[in-house]
Amino acid sequence: MNTIKLDIKNKKGHNLQAYLELPANENPTHYAIFAHCFSCNSNFNAVKNISRSLSNHSFGVLRFDFTGLGKSEGEFAESHFSANVDDLIAVNTFLTENYKSPVLLVGHSLGGAAVIVAGSKLENIKAVATIGAPATVNHVTHLFSHAIEDVKEKGEVEVKIGGRPFKINEDFVKDFSKTDLPKITKALRKPILVMHAPFDNVVGIENAHEIYHNAMHPKSFISLDDADHLLSNKTDSIYVGNLIGTWADKYFPAEENNILSTEGEQLVAHLNILEDNFTTSIQTKKHAFLADEPNHIGGDDFAPSPYDFLSASLAACTVMTLKMYAARKNWDLQEVFAYITYSRKNSKDLGIETEKATLYNHFEKKLKLIGNLDDAQKKRLTEIASKCPVHKTLQSEILIDTELI
């Protein structure tokens, strides 16, 4: 199971519901914590999509519900900004004591502001990524500004945020003015990635400019184009997760990982049937990537298909083999292209005589050679292209053993 459900106690003794997303091989190289947006929870599709995409970069990602939200204990009035930061610290402590100290914090909207503050307090955190984050903490008060006077008079009132009812009190309101986020951002001194949609109508793009301006290098900014604030389009949230993972690769390089808990495996593929159509996570000892199916057969087309990968392995092996051969011969091969087309073809179409019509798996390989090569050299390289290991494997008798573990 690649998602583990957890209960984590915060400083007030409330249980925070959490989920730990693991990479396909179930052995993360590094750990990260995801902080959701104001009044959201860890089961929002964007939160799950980002966490799972990041797990494809060998991260174990812990997503959780802040106090009083989702299925975490406590009241929403206790879920003010300082409490969010305290919850992040509690989750950080839990991971450190039970798994491994996290190195990356990722936060969406107000959660982005919270990870900047928590990241400034935690030595084990080495990098921070924000998504649609406000540059000041009190930015969020506009969501309930109409009720602030009522809070002063009545002490506690019910407000609607995002169409849902929440109770807030005076302590909740006052807490949002306690934190000087610009000052903390300037003092962070850790790699930070700022991601924001230019037409975000909840937290304007000027917030990203201010965060980026206040932060010290190394800092990066990525525009999220036409995404909305909540990243409600699945493609946008998966894009965000993949970009964070790629950005983080520079600071947390891949390490050799033991595949599963057994010996001998070279690669593992995992498909969460309850959550995904055909999007499959694939993990090798040092690399992770996705496979999918095209839309017309029910996939999401987020990655190459299995047969795309099979064709890609033949193409890659071909060009590598030609490079090695030409180098050994000291020939002037400067570039090589291998174009592969896979199809199922009838024996008659292939000019193969059989007693009855037979379908064959057919790979068509076309080569383009760049360099100062004569006709004899080109002919020899064409012959060598059929001798690469993958080519020979595909033409040999193959045995596959399948067993349960």
Side-chain angles (χ1 to χ4, degrees):
M1 183 99 180
N2 273 51
T3 304
I4 301 174
K5 184 179 177 182
L6 301 167
D7 285 311
I8 302 170
K9 283 199 179 297
N10 68 5
K11 66 183 295 185
K12 289 189 174 182
H14 296 316
N15 276 327
L16 305 178
Q17 179 169 278
Y19 298 90
L20 180 59
E21 300 285 354
L22 299 173
N25 65 7
E26 300 182 334
N27 289 307
T29 303
H30 306 289
Y31 285 84
I33 301 173
F34 190 102
H36 62 70
C37 64
F38 183 67
S39 79
C40 301
N41 63 63
S42 64
N43 273 320
F44 266 46
N45 286 333
V47 179
K48 292 191 289 186
N49 292 338
I50 294 169
S51 299
R52 289 170 181 165
S53 296
L54 189 52
S55 74
N56 290 323
H57 292 261
S58 297
F59 275 91
V61 185
L62 196 151
R63 53 184 172 91
F64 71 99
D65 296 335
F66 282 122
T67 298
L69 289 166
K71 294 185 178 180
S72 287
E73 294 178 349
E75 299 298 325
F76 179 73
E78 298 177 88
S79 191
H80 47 68
F81 185 76
S82 297
N84 289 173
V85 174
D86 288 341
D87 285 350
L88 275 165
I89 293 173
V91 170
N92 179 83
T93 300
F94 176 89
L95 270 178
T96 300
E97 292 177 349
N98 294 277
Y99 292 89
K100 185 179 178 181
S101 292
V103 294
L104 173 66
L105 295 180
V106 180
H108 182 199
S109 194
L110 189 65
V115 299
I116 291 175
V117 176
S120 71
K121 296 174 180 284
L122 299 169
E123 289 188 11
N124 58 281
I125 297 301
K126 306 303 181 187
V128 171
T130 68
I131 309 155
T136 60
V137 174
N138 60 12
H139 177 278
V140 77
T141 58
H142 78 277
L143 295 172
F144 49 83
S145 59
H146 60 285
I148 290 177
E149 290 302 318
D150 288 341
V151 169
K152 292 178 181 178
E153 291 179 13
K154 301 176 182 178
E156 181 178 271
V157 298
E158 185 176 281
V159 297
K160 283 194 173 182
I161 302 173
R164 293 175 294 153
F166 295 99
K167 287 183 178 180
I168 63 173
N169 56 32
E170 195 166 1
D171 288 339
F172 177 87
V173 173
K174 286 182 177 179
D175 188 82
F176 286 98
S177 62
K178 290 181 179 179
T179 303
D180 188 345
L181 188 60
K183 181 179 179 181
I184 294 171
T185 304
K186 288 178 182 178
L188 182 63
R189 305 301 173 95
K190 295 178 180 180
I192 183 170
L193 172 63
V194 181
M195 309 180 80
H196 214 110
F199 304 109
D200 188 328
N201 59 11
V202 177
V203 179
I205 187 65
E206 67 276 3
N207 287 272
H209 175 270
E210 187 173 344
I211 293 172
Y212 187 85
H213 175 75
N214 289 331
M216 298 295 176
H217 284 290
K219 57 185 176 180
S220 305
F221 170 75
I222 294 177
S223 171
L224 299 181
D225 197 16
D226 58 355
D228 60 30
H229 181 69
L230 292 178
L231 303 175
S232 52
N233 187 314
K234 184 176 182 180
T235 302
D236 291 328
S237 53
I238 290 176
Y239 173 74
V240 166
N242 286 331
L243 284 179
I244 294 172
T246 301
W247 171 79
D249 284 345
K250 175 177 174 60
Y251 304 105
F252 313 112
E255 299 173 2
E256 186 167 309
N257 214 332
N258 294 320
I259 305 301
L260 299 177
S261 57
T262 59
E263 295 182 2
E265 286 82 9
Q266 296 175 320
L267 179 147
V268 60
H270 171 257
L271 172 58
N272 188 328
I273 295 171
L274 297 178
E275 297 285 347
D276 299 305
N277 291 326
F278 292 106
T279 306
T280 300
S281 302
I282 301 173
Q283 182 86 35
T284 66
K285 283 193 174 183
K286 286 190 176 182
H287 304 284
F289 43 96
L290 295 177
D292 208 336
E293 291 286 9
N295 299 123
H296 71 271
I297 61 170
D300 292 306
D301 203 19
F302 288 137
S305 72
Y307 275 100
D308 287 337
F309 278 114
L310 186 60
S311 296
S313 66
L314 176 59
C317 186
T318 297
V319 298
M320 292 176 185
T321 299
L322 292 182
K323 171 194 163 59
M324 289 188 289
Y325 186 85
R328 191 165 61 246
K329 291 289 189 178
N330 202 26
W331 291 354
D332 185 33
L333 177 63
Q334 299 168 10
E335 294 180 67
V336 56
F337 297 83
Y339 300 90
I340 307 294
T341 302
Y342 167 79
S343 61
R344 295 269 287 169
K345 286 192 175 182
N346 191 287
S347 54
K348 182 179 179 181
D349 295 330
L350 294 171
I352 299 173
E353 294 185 8
T354 55
E355 291 184 7
K356 61 179 181 178
T358 304
L359 279 177
Y360 284 85
N361 292 299
H362 182 255
F363 290 90
E364 184 177 26
K365 183 192 294 187
K366 295 181 179 180
L367 302 176
K368 182 179 179 181
L369 307 175
I370 308 296
N372 296 314
L373 302 166
D374 58 33
D375 290 341
Q377 290 171 328
K378 290 178 181 179
K379 181 180 178 182
R380 182 56 179 159
L381 287 171
T382 303
E383 295 169 352
I384 294 298
S386 298
K387 299 181 183 297
C388 83
V390 172
H391 189 121
K392 293 168 74 173
T393 298
L394 289 171
Q395 288 189 317
S396 67
E397 185 175 351
I398 298 173
L399 300 177
I400 299 175
D401 294 324
T402 303
E403 62 177 300
L404 287 175
I405 57 174

